[in-house]
Amino acid sequence: MIRKPYTSTEPRVSVVIPTLPANDHEQVVTDLRNQTMTAFEVVVVDDAKLDICEARNAGIEAATADTIALTDDDCRPPHDWVAQADEALSDGDAICIEGSVEGGRTYHGEGLYVGCNLVFDRETALSVGGFDSEYAGWRDDTEFGWRMESHGTCRYDPNLLMYHPDRTRATIDDEKEARLRREYPARYRERIVPHTTVGRVNDWLWRRGFWNTVDRVRYVGGRR
């Protein structure tokens, strides 16, 4: 099911939120209703039959604005997030902008294109085929961003900030990780493979679930 809980006469930005009937997305919609900018729409794709890539693609297709701002149902956009998204993509010739993420998930623009804070040109996204379901659930946003890079300028904007209060729900998929490395060897080596001894040790621990366990303990402890 696709619905638009918020819209305007001539939206400049379409905010796409993939979700599931079992997930609560009212808070993110409430935050979006209180934005400093009003010329946008919110497209919620709420369908358990679709994987996250299919849901995102359905939202992109249903959108009416030229600019897509993508986030998740468990995020908290700041009051100026839509305005920053509009400004980021209209300022220059970029077709894709990745922003920073703070909270239970942190990210500061390493060219991995985290899907909870991603802004891009709708027509370009459709022309590259949108998100690939072969990567659904792991690295689908990264793979999409890397394909977008082949069709124009993509960059990081630290002013485009998203809050992700909870731990990420994603878990490592070794098969999809290997596929990404095989299909994009240069980018994978440059942006994902650690270049220091400490980084390699941390990466080894991460891939074996050590840091996920530590984060889970910290998260649960912080909620008490």
Side-chain angles (χ1 to χ4, degrees):
M1 179 179 69
I2 298 177
R3 64 186 185 91
K4 296 184 179 182
Y6 178 88
T7 189
S8 60
T9 305
E10 296 182 358
R12 292 177 52 84
V13 178
S14 293
V15 178
V16 173
I17 305 171
T19 188
L20 296 170
N23 292 349
D24 180 12
H25 57 270
E26 291 306 316
Q27 185 60 62
V28 64
V29 171
T30 297
D31 289 343
L32 289 168
R33 292 181 189 276
N34 295 312
Q35 292 289 300
T36 58
M37 177 178 169
T38 59
F40 70 99
E41 65 177 3
V42 177
V43 183
V44 175
V45 183
D46 189 1
D47 194 332
K49 297 179 181 179
L50 304 179
D51 65 42
I52 191 169
C53 293
E54 293 170 332
R56 285 170 171 167
N57 291 339
I60 295 169
E61 291 174 0
T64 57
D66 294 332
T67 295
I68 302 294
L70 188 66
T71 192
D72 292 335
D73 58 16
D74 55 351
C75 289
R76 298 292 305 273
H79 293 326
D80 65 344
W81 181 67
V82 176
Q84 291 290 351
D86 180 51
E87 180 179 350
L89 203 64
S90 61
D91 183 17
D93 59 353
I95 60 167
C96 185
I97 306 291
E98 59 172 350
S100 60
V101 182
E102 299 290 345
R105 168 72 188 273
T106 59
Y107 179 76
H108 299 104
E110 290 83 37
L112 301 182
Y113 302 97
V114 175
C116 69
N117 193 15
L118 198 58
V119 178
F120 49 86
D121 176 70
R122 178 177 181 270
E123 290 302 319
T124 306
L126 291 173
S127 70
V128 304
F131 288 82
D132 186 352
S133 286
E134 294 295 326
Y135 286 94
W138 184 252
R139 299 292 195 194
D140 47 86
D141 42 10
T142 299
E143 195 275 337
F144 169 77
W146 288 359
R147 265 187 292 123
M148 290 287 281
E149 287 182 350
S150 300
H151 291 75
T153 301
C154 300
R155 63 180 178 81
Y156 168 65
D157 185 344
N159 295 317
L160 184 67
L161 172 65
M162 177 61 67
Y163 291 107
H164 194 298
D166 298 333
R167 290 188 311 114
T168 178
R169 294 187 291 248
T171 56
I172 300 172
D173 187 312
D174 291 333
E175 183 177 340
K176 292 172 183 175
E177 185 78 5
R179 177 173 184 161
L180 186 74
R181 185 169 193 162
R182 183 172 63 252
E183 293 186 349
Y184 301 90
R187 288 187 181 94
Y188 191 97
R189 185 169 54 253
E190 175 187 347
R191 302 180 192 180
I192 296 180
V193 176
H195 300 291
T196 66
T197 300
V198 172
R200 286 191 289 272
V201 170
N202 282 333
D203 184 70
W204 186 89
L205 291 170
W206 170 69
R207 292 176 188 276
R208 283 152 183 80
F210 176 80
W211 292 122
N212 284 341
T213 300
V214 171
D215 286 344
R216 184 162 54 250
V217 171
R218 288 175 177 171
Y219 174 70
V220 172
R223 291 282 290 238
R224 291 175 180 171

